[in-house]
Amino acid sequence: YFLANRAWLQVTGLERLPPGGIDDAALFPPALAGQVRANDTRCLVAGEPLVVEESGHIGGSWRTYLSSKFPLRDESGRATAVCGVSIDI
């Protein structure tokens, strides 16, 4: 994670993201971190948008999110990163 809005930072208990970003394993319990990483990888490999439900303990409570993920592409059109927008449902 290199960029996040204030609401997401509050849920994860962070004041700001550290320089250089932070990964799923540093933010979430192992089961949720694996779920999020697997979905990000699916999106990146397919190079296509993906909509999924992601559930787990975040910020001391159980939460379920509807997450829309899409690849970010470099100047040659290659998918190199994933951007996501998640809605707490």
Side-chain angles (χ1 to χ4, degrees):
Y1 297 85
F2 295 103
L3 186 64
N5 66 25
R6 184 172 304 154
W8 186 86
L9 291 171
Q10 288 174 335
V11 167
T12 59
L14 298 173
E15 290 185 26
R16 65 180 60 87
L17 292 176
I22 194 169
D23 67 9
D24 298 313
L27 289 172
F28 308 123
L32 179 57
Q35 181 186 155
V36 171
R37 182 70 176 169
N39 290 332
D40 288 350
T41 300
R42 277 180 45 204
C43 178
L44 190 62
V45 169
E48 298 291 331
L50 175 69
V51 177
V52 293
E53 280 190 22
E54 296 171 321
S55 298
H57 285 282
I58 305 171
S61 63
W62 184 267
R63 296 178 183 264
T64 300
Y65 289 92
L66 181 62
S67 298
S68 298
K69 298 169 182 259
F70 54 93
L72 298 175
R73 300 182 183 280
D74 65 14
E75 58 279 345
S76 69
R78 186 180 63 138
T80 59
V82 174
C83 183
V85 177
S86 297
I87 300 169
D88 189 345
I89 58 172

